[in-house]
Amino acid sequence: MRPSLLDPLFVPITSLAGVGPKVGALIEKVVAVDLGDRAARAGDLLFVLPHTVIDRRNRPGIAGSAEGAIVTLDVRIDRHQPPPRGNRSVPYRVYAHDDTGEIALTFFHAHASYLEKAMPEGEHVVISGRMEWFNGRPTMVHPDYIALASEAESLPLVEPVYPLTAGLSGKVLRRAIGQALARLPVLAEWQDGAFMRRQSFPAFGDALARIHNPADPIDVSVDGAAWRRLAYDELLAGQVSLALVRAKVRRLSGRPLIGDGRIVERLRKALPYSLTAAQEFALAEINADLADPERMLRLLQGDVGSGKTVVALLAMARAVEAGGQAALMAPTEILARQHLATIAPLAAKAGLRIAILTGREKGRERTDALAGLASGEIDIVVGTHALFQETVIFHDLVFAVIDEQHRFGVHQRLAITAKGDAPDMLVMTATPIPRTLVLTAFGDMDVSKLTEKPTGRQPIRTVTLPLERLDELLGRMVEAVAGGQKIYWICPLVEESEEIKLMSAEDRFASLKPLFGDRIGLVHGRMKGAEKDEAMRAFKQGETRILIATTVIEVGVDVPDATVMVIEHAERFGLAQLHQLRGRVGRGDIKSSCVLLYKDPLGETAKRRLSVMRETEDGFMIAEEDLKLRGEGELLGTRQSGTPGFQVARIEAHADLLEAARDDARLILSRDPELQSDRGAALRLLLYLFGRDEAVRLLRAG
Ligand code: ADP
Ligand code: MG
């Protein structure tokens, strides 16, 4: 049960003064945490953070105010000059002065009664806004703030600037946030006192108050004490909740999976190549985890084309030897089918019984797969999200492999776990994740890395080409196709609409069709499953030589003899994605190339991305550049994980805090695994505040 102390923060935002349904809906758009299906609560407003400030502390006097500067002036009001009756195009002017000079305050479409009340003649008033010198005369058009001198404290000298959306004003948002702050109860301190002093951390409530009512720009800076304190809290909440999940996972375990090698041997014999040293090493680590009674929670990290699938297959075979079942989950249907295609021939030779289960299997096929899984007749199932469905019951799932983990959320990772009696878990990713991010996303998960690619891979030549020079490219493509090569052509990513995405691929297909006739194919996300398969099959077997595709093929598709990758509007893709796409070629013996077609003019970031792509093929370097260019949040989808975003803003800036938070979380849980102590209770509050309710639920479930 949620501690009642926090109740005031759990009311819907629409119960705050000045927030009706309309404003409430606008505010929900700027709330940083992922709301899922729920409505925004007062507590969520605490974490709507200013990204910068307007500094109004500059008080140079009228004569000393520079053109364009934001200034605050103490003035006496001399006289009002309303526009002539009926002529609204002339502005309303108010004249005022200070010791240094005179100023005209200008208002268009003004309400006279409001202005008279705000600035009575003869009164002493504080105004703040942008100074303009008009024909050598100081003026201010629509000051941002006007306050009687007696009420001047209401004027924010350092004004926080929030993310806004059309129709939502900063003032309305700030008023709502102010109410949320007032609802924050005084909480017992959960941070270690000595650590707090060393870091000069303010208390939680003080830190929030300071960020929302900054007295100095440093107060909203990620380097400031307030921000660092909250970043630490968020990291700690994340680490504590991951540690709880992990402890729970470990507690449940206790089944060593030791194979006798008979299936694995047959598989190895069936492989047309031998494993790289890196693959052998990773496999040994995984096997050791399987054999260990503690539950495995391991990340297998390897650049595109490094050969993760076969490692997973050999590990799954071992789990089957030990008498259990294994599941391989892929984020898309195409990928699941491709895994099946890779695995099936090998499995057949080794006597492994496999099945596929995606959204597409219906009727007989599906019933058979479900029955086989329930009876234990099927050893390995390859599938998509469809595996989470309630109707899917395993006889004895002991090992789950999750491919391209960043496409799945924490909940889904847990969901597959629930299908077995504490199955071991291996997650695979091609996105090289810096250590700081691994920690953030997984806590201290064990990591295996495939640091080398299979031998015989050739470097890929990467060129950039403006779209205007498309004709040159087409000429080359005609030659390449005549020479028997295979070409991928990826159509632009259009975020806004599936429709447009589809159209761009179809248009490109139509425009190239006259040139290539039957040798060109098309695949996109809207096609029926069977049509997609057919397009992929035709390309794989060489019936078509050019495959126009939307990004459905992005992750993991394997056509080893494809040699050219054309990416249209490459400037619209992120680095990680470009790298993934390029990784689709360069798998065989023929020299491959990647053509990044772009549209001029290029922005700075896009320019940098394209040049990084030209300079390197090293996935780790690319991931680091990506981090610099993009910010960490997106890389792992942390924004979607229900996290407010203190640390998302700049994890790199907080790397030291992250390490400390991880150690701290470990220590706390080793001393107080149920969070029963006073400090533990305070930490539970923290988990609630940061939306980590699922971790608290785990505690209760025991
Ligand atoms: P990824 O790590 O990107 O998922 P895949 O598992 O799809 O990579 O493997 C990429 C390609 O490399 C596949 O065609 C696979 O058959 C091949 N491959 C995997 N391991 C080796 C190896 N040791 N030697 C040669 N080719 C390999
Ligand atoms: Mg793969």
Side-chain angles (χ1 to χ4, degrees):
M1 276 272 281
R2 179 190 343 128
S4 57
L5 184 67
L6 295 181
D7 285 349
L9 291 173
F10 278 69
V11 301
I13 51 173
T14 42
S15 63
L16 303 175
V19 185
K22 207 165 127 238
V23 170
L26 293 174
I27 291 181
E28 286 198 348
K29 288 193 190 168
V30 300
V31 163
V33 297
D34 177 19
L35 294 174
D37 298 331
R38 71 177 175 84
R41 304 165 182 143
D44 299 323
L45 283 175
L46 299 175
F47 304 125
V48 175
L49 304 169
H51 47 81
T52 182
V53 292
I54 297 174
D55 194 340
R56 302 184 181 282
R57 291 174 301 175
N58 186 17
R59 304 181 114 153
I62 293 171
S65 296
E67 160 73 28
I70 298 283
V71 296
T72 296
L73 301 171
D74 297 76
V75 297
R76 196 168 294 279
I77 302 298
D78 296 323
R79 66 193 165 89
H80 285 233
Q81 186 187 76
R85 252 185 202 293
N87 189 349
R88 304 270 294 170
S89 65
V90 176
Y92 191 116
R93 288 213 167 79
V94 178
Y95 293 93
H97 74 275
D98 67 6
D99 294 345
T100 67
E102 197 183 46
I103 186 169
L105 309 175
T106 306
F107 301 87
F108 293 93
H109 306 294
H111 290 285
S113 58
Y114 161 74
L115 293 177
E116 278 157 15
K117 201 158 142 233
M119 294 172 287
E121 283 181 14
E123 278 291 332
H124 186 180
V125 168
V126 181
I127 57 171
S128 185
R130 183 178 301 280
M131 190 64 143
E132 286 174 46
W133 287 78
F134 190 70
N135 290 338
R137 290 210 206 116
T139 60
M140 195 180 280
V141 181
H142 291 268
D144 302 324
Y145 289 93
I146 302 170
L148 294 174
S150 54
E151 292 160 10
E153 324 79 84
S154 71
L155 195 151
L157 283 180
V158 179
E159 183 185 355
V161 180
Y162 291 95
L164 293 176
T165 184
L168 180 65
S169 79
K171 277 181 192 160
V172 168
L173 180 62
R174 276 178 46 212
R175 179 156 177 238
I177 292 173
Q179 295 174 71
L181 273 176
R183 286 170 165 265
L184 181 68
V186 176
L187 303 170
E189 184 52 66
W190 49 76
Q191 297 297 3
D192 175 67
F195 179 71
M196 277 191 50
R197 278 189 296 281
R198 234 181 6 260
Q199 296 279 347
S200 332
F201 280 167
F204 181 79
D206 293 345
L208 275 172
R210 228 196 260 181
I211 284 180
H212 290 294
N213 303 298
D216 186 288
I218 189 77
D219 290 340
V220 307
S221 152
V222 292
D223 301 320
W227 200 291
R228 281 176 65 83
R229 150 95 214 213
L230 296 173
Y232 189 80
D233 281 330
E234 186 179 357
L235 291 168
L236 184 65
Q239 294 301 309
V240 167
S241 90
L242 285 165
L244 282 169
V245 170
R246 192 176 170 81
K248 165 97 175 173
V249 161
R250 287 253 148 111
R251 243 193 332 267
L252 277 170
S253 78
R255 207 160 131 202
L257 299 173
I258 301 170
D260 56 14
R262 80 205 130 85
I263 305 178
V264 171
E265 271 325 301
R266 270 180 263 157
L267 278 176
R268 280 180 180 269
K269 282 217 184 77
L271 285 178
Y273 47 77
S274 50
L275 296 190
T276 64
Q279 284 171 317
E280 291 288 6
F281 193 78
L283 187 61
E285 286 180 321
I286 295 165
N287 284 339
D289 279 1
L290 287 171
D292 194 289
E294 273 216 338
R295 192 162 175 200
M296 157 163 39
L297 207 53
R298 184 173 285 276
L299 180 70
L300 175 60
Q301 206 173 305
D303 206 350
V304 263
S306 58
K308 295 182 290 293
T309 317
V310 67
V311 173
L313 175 62
L314 290 167
M316 289 194 292
R318 186 164 269 250
V320 173
E321 284 173 4
Q325 292 170 299
L328 172 57
M329 298 221 331
T332 66
E333 198 189 301
I334 286 197
L335 246 194
R337 273 177 212 288
Q338 179 186 301
H339 280 323
L340 184 77
T342 313
I343 289 173
L346 296 167
K349 288 190 190 151
L352 279 170
R353 296 159 302 180
I354 60 175
I356 183 159
L357 199 65
T358 70
R360 208 205 302 174
E361 275 66 48
K362 298 258 154 62
R364 188 60 198 271
E365 223 180 336
R366 183 181 153 83
T367 337
D368 284 355
L370 289 177
L373 283 176
S375 69
E377 263 162 65
I378 289 170
D379 301 315
I380 294 177
V381 64
V382 179
T384 56
H385 294 82
L387 289 176
F388 297 136
Q389 288 161 1
E390 265 175 45
T391 45
V392 180
I393 294 162
F394 287 84
H395 177 65
D396 187 16
L397 177 68
V398 294
F399 185 32
V401 182
I402 302 179
D403 195 14
E404 306 299 346
Q405 57 71 33
H406 58 283
R407 303 274 179 114
F408 294 100
V410 177
H411 298 294
Q412 291 171 317
R413 296 204 293 266
L414 289 174
I416 189 69
T417 305
K419 295 281 181 190
D421 180 16
D424 282 319
M425 185 144 48
L426 177 71
V427 297
M428 308 200 290
T429 179
T431 310
I433 314 175
R435 176 177 161 68
T436 45
L437 287 186
V438 173
L439 281 174
T440 313
F442 302 107
D444 40 357
M445 192 175 221
D446 302 307
V447 179
S448 296
K449 282 185 188 163
L450 296 181
T451 44
E452 61 178 325
K453 294 202 181 166
T455 45
R457 295 278 164 82
Q458 304 228 21
I460 302 168
R461 202 170 75 97
T462 301
V463 294
T464 51
L465 194 74
L467 266 169
E468 295 88 71
R469 287 167 57 191
L470 189 67
D471 284 348
E472 285 171 41
L473 172 64
L474 295 180
R476 295 278 184 84
M477 282 172 60
V478 171
E479 280 170 33
V481 166
Q485 299 197 40
K486 285 186 188 170
I487 303 173
Y488 285 111
W489 182 300
I490 308 300
C491 281
L493 184 73
V494 182
E495 294 273 324
E496 298 76 29
S497 130
E498 274 299 315
E499 292 299 335
I500 302 176
K501 207 186 310 193
L502 188 66
M503 238 173 52
S504 65
E506 284 181 336
D507 285 355
R508 184 50 76 198
F509 177 72
S511 78
L512 295 187
K513 180 98 184 154
L515 209 51
F516 297 102
D518 288 345
R519 324 219 72 180
I520 187 166
L522 170 69
V523 63
H524 58 67
R526 285 285 184 85
M527 284 163 84
K528 291 226 171 62
E531 291 172 329
K532 277 191 254 181
D533 286 354
E534 173 52 24
M536 294 305 298
R537 187 203 58 77
F539 185 58
K540 212 162 179 158
Q541 298 192 344
E543 290 163 26
T544 56
R545 296 271 157 188
I546 299 175
L547 186 65
I548 307 285
T550 53
T551 44
V552 289
I553 71 141
E554 177 194 343
V555 199
V557 169
D558 189 28
V559 180
D561 59 347
T563 50
V564 182
M565 168 63 66
V566 179
I567 305 175
E568 187 172 345
H569 280 294
E571 78 280 0
R572 297 195 196 160
F573 292 80
L575 258 184
Q577 222 175 359
L578 290 173
H579 178 63
Q580 288 264 351
L581 287 167
R582 181 172 58 183
R584 302 298 113 224
V585 296
R587 298 186 161 208
D589 320 323
I590 310 170
K591 184 137 177 85
S592 294
S593 51
C594 174
V595 182
L596 303 173
L597 274 178
Y598 64 91
K599 178 139 177 54
D600 266 326
L602 284 177
E604 273 312 307
T605 314
K607 212 179 267 171
R608 177 81 199 124
R609 280 200 298 254
L610 297 190
S611 77
V612 169
M613 287 297 292
R614 265 199 319 258
E615 283 157 22
T616 183
E617 267 190 73
D618 179 332
F620 279 86
M621 267 178 69
I622 290 178
E624 298 211 328
E625 280 297 325
D626 201 23
L627 277 178
K628 282 190 210 144
L629 292 174
R630 238 175 15 144
E632 298 72 12
E634 272 177 75
L635 190 58
L636 273 185
T638 16
R639 274 244 173 255
Q640 283 113 59
S641 67
T643 202
F646 292 100
Q647 44 101 349
V648 170
R650 262 194 26 212
I651 289 182
E652 288 304 301
H654 302 307
D656 57 326
L657 293 184
L658 178 56
E659 296 283 344
R662 186 205 45 181
D663 294 346
D664 212 6
R666 267 202 204 142
L667 196 67
I668 290 163
L669 286 172
S670 70
R671 290 190 185 146
D672 179 17
E674 302 291 324
L675 297 185
Q676 294 292 343
S677 64
D678 286 353
R679 187 175 182 208
L683 275 166
R684 282 175 189 238
L685 291 179
L686 181 68
L687 293 176
Y688 271 110
L689 278 177
F690 281 109
R692 300 278 184 171
D693 322 26
E694 89 274 11
V696 189
R697 269 200 298 280
L698 274 183
L699 269 181
R700 273 207 316 278

